[in-house]
């Protein structure tokens, strides 16, 4: 096993630690995304993260096909592609058709990883975002997870998992699963360290993938708390690194994979330069104890007085 991959699932499919994310608000122009993905592949990125919600599956798929045709990679098997089940498709009878649509849009035969995007369902066939207040529905976890398992059995997903699941919601999935989730993709960074959730996932053999590890500045949910942290700035200066590199190295040393996003070549290169150095025990201790903790992604857009999840506390089951 390479230090730059994690084996996931019972098949021990290898997932690269670093994924290039494609979520942006507003969505990136297709030509910009395609150019970025091709540049990323040239630099060595092999893991790409998307979702129907991001409106990036089509240009990502075009870029991946072009990478093969240009000889940047020999075949699709060198890539690891993650996509997600959107809320409107999180219903009995809709999960397999949803992944098939994503595969058709991406022009792929299979996904390496397919995740339930949020622990929320919405009215079938209504894809407007934000989801309208009257359109939220309780998720039938047993049925939806059973159909996620069917995606893996059919071979259209090598591995399956969840995203934005609290300990309680994850334990519920584990209690009903024949195939346990391989991954839980959640917000995690020096300012929201997810210790309890990571302990649970580690005990169950579930890999944590961190998003918003740099604070997602520029997104409607973003924050400057990470890039403006005095602790991280001091460590970065001492190391001759950037704050972003220190944050990513911290996540890597905590044993998680991560999704990062940039459309700039210099940042893409910078993100890859986190593997040949390490933090001292004192530096890790400072990050663990001196940085105040607060959630960035509160899930507010998935909360409705008229829906099954009526508060931030209910979304995260008190893990806030």
């Amino acid at each position: 096993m390479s230090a730059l991959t994690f084996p996931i699932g019972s098949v021990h499919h290898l997932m690269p630690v670093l994924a290039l994310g494609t979520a942006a608000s507003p969505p990136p122009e297709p030509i910009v995304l395609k150019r970025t993905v091709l540049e990323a592949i040239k630099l060595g990125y092999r893991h790409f993260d998307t979702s129907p919600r991001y409106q990036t599956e089509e240009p990502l798929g075009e870029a991946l096909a072009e990478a093969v045709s240009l000889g940047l990679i020999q075949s699709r098997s060198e890539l690891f592609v993650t996509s997600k089940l959107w809320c409107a498709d999180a219903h009995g009878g809709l999960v397999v058709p949803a992944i098939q649509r994503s595969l058709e849009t991406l022009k792929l035969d299979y996904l390496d990883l397919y995740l339930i995007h949020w622990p929320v369902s919405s009215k079938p066939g209504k894809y407007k975002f934000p989801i309208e207040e009257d359109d939220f529905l309780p998720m039938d976890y047993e049925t939806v997870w059973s159909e996620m398992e069917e995606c893996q059995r059919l071979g259209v997903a090598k591995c399956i998992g969840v995203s934005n699941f609290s300990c309680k919601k994850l334990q519920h999935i584990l209690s009903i699963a024949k195939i346990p989730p391989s991954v839980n993709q959640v917000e995690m960074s020096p300012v929201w360290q997810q210790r309890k959730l990571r302990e649970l996932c580690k005990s169950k053999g579930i890999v944590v993938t961190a998003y918003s590890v740099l604070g997602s500045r520029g997104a409607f949910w973003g924050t400057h708390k990470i890039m403006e942290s005095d602790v991280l700035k001091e460590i970065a200066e001492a190391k001759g690194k950037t704050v972003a590199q220190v944050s990513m190295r911290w996540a890597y040393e905590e044993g998680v994979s991560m999704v990062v996003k940039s459309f700039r070549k210099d940042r893409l290169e910078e993100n890859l330069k986190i593997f040949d150095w390490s933090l001292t025990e004192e530096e890790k201790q400072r990050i663990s104890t001196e940085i105040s903790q607060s959630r960035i992604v509160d899930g507010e857009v998935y909360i409705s007085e008229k829906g099954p999840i009526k508060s931030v506390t209910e979304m995260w089951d008190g893990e806030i």
Side-chain angles (χ1 to χ4, degrees), residues 11-281:
V11 293
H12 279 205
H13 198 47
L14 292 179
M15 179 173 74
V17 166
L18 206 58
L20 182 68
T22 61
S25 180
E29 291 292 330
I31 192 168
V32 172
L33 182 67
K34 286 173 66 176
R35 185 171 63 237
T36 302
V37 169
L38 289 169
E39 193 63 60
I41 289 173
K42 290 175 188 175
L43 292 170
Y45 287 80
R46 293 295 181 266
H47 183 177
F48 298 90
D49 181 275
T50 185
S51 167
R53 154 79 184 89
Y54 306 155
Q55 301 173 43
T56 54
E57 285 182 325
E58 185 171 0
L60 173 60
E62 290 172 358
L64 299 181
E66 193 169 326
V68 175
S69 68
L70 291 173
L72 301 180
I73 51 173
Q74 294 304 305
S75 71
R76 183 264 182 268
S77 64
E78 294 179 39
L79 300 168
F80 190 104
V81 182
T82 298
S83 195
K84 306 177 183 81
L85 175 73
W86 184 238
C87 305
D89 296 315
H91 299 280
L94 298 185
V95 178
V96 173
I99 193 173
Q100 289 170 334
R101 273 200 311 279
S102 283
L103 290 172
E104 185 177 339
T105 305
L106 284 157
K107 298 180 176 63
L108 298 176
D109 295 325
Y110 66 90
L111 291 173
D112 298 274
L113 180 62
Y114 195 47
L115 305 176
I116 298 176
H117 201 150
W118 281 88
V120 173
S121 294
S122 61
K123 285 185 181 176
K126 297 189 73 173
Y127 295 98
K128 182 180 177 182
F129 184 83
I131 298 166
E132 294 181 351
E133 281 201 28
D134 291 331
D135 289 347
F136 287 102
L137 297 167
M139 180 178 285
D140 180 344
Y141 290 102
E142 287 84 351
T143 299
V144 171
W145 188 254
S146 173
E147 295 193 10
M148 292 289 288
E149 292 175 334
E150 183 65 10
C151 292
Q152 184 164 326
R153 280 190 285 266
L154 290 169
V156 288
K158 297 287 187 184
C159 296
I160 53 176
V162 297
S163 183
N164 300 298
F165 272 57
S166 67
C167 289
K168 182 178 178 180
K169 291 180 174 69
L170 183 58
Q171 285 171 320
H172 181 53
I173 293 290
L174 287 166
S175 74
I176 59 176
K178 294 183 176 68
I179 302 172
S182 301
V183 169
N184 189 9
Q185 185 182 120
V186 293
E187 175 199 348
M188 179 187 152
S189 72
V191 305
W192 190 247
Q193 297 185 12
Q194 294 279 24
R195 294 187 189 99
K196 180 183 176 184
L197 183 64
R198 285 193 283 130
E199 285 173 15
L200 172 64
C201 288
K202 186 176 181 180
S203 73
K204 302 297 183 182
I206 298 169
V207 171
V208 171
T209 296
Y211 70 77
S212 292
V213 74
L214 304 180
S216 293
R217 292 183 304 167
F220 68 85
W221 64 87
T223 182
H224 293 277
K225 289 178 183 177
I226 295 168
M227 304 306 283
E228 294 178 358
S229 162
D230 290 337
V231 172
L232 295 174
K233 284 179 180 178
E234 288 169 17
I235 294 171
E237 189 172 347
K239 287 282 194 225
K241 305 295 179 182
T242 66
V243 168
Q245 287 173 322
V246 169
S247 297
M248 292 171 65
R249 179 69 200 189
W250 170 81
Y252 176 62
E253 292 191 20
E254 291 295 310
V256 308
S257 65
M258 68 198 89
V259 178
V260 293
K261 177 183 63 61
S262 179
F263 299 119
R264 287 173 44 181
K265 182 182 178 181
D266 59 333
R267 293 278 172 78
L268 293 172
E269 291 175 321
E270 181 184 305
N271 292 343
L272 291 170
K273 295 176 181 176
I274 63 165
F275 298 111
D276 59 353
W277 54 279
S278 60
L279 296 166
T280 66
E281 288 303 317

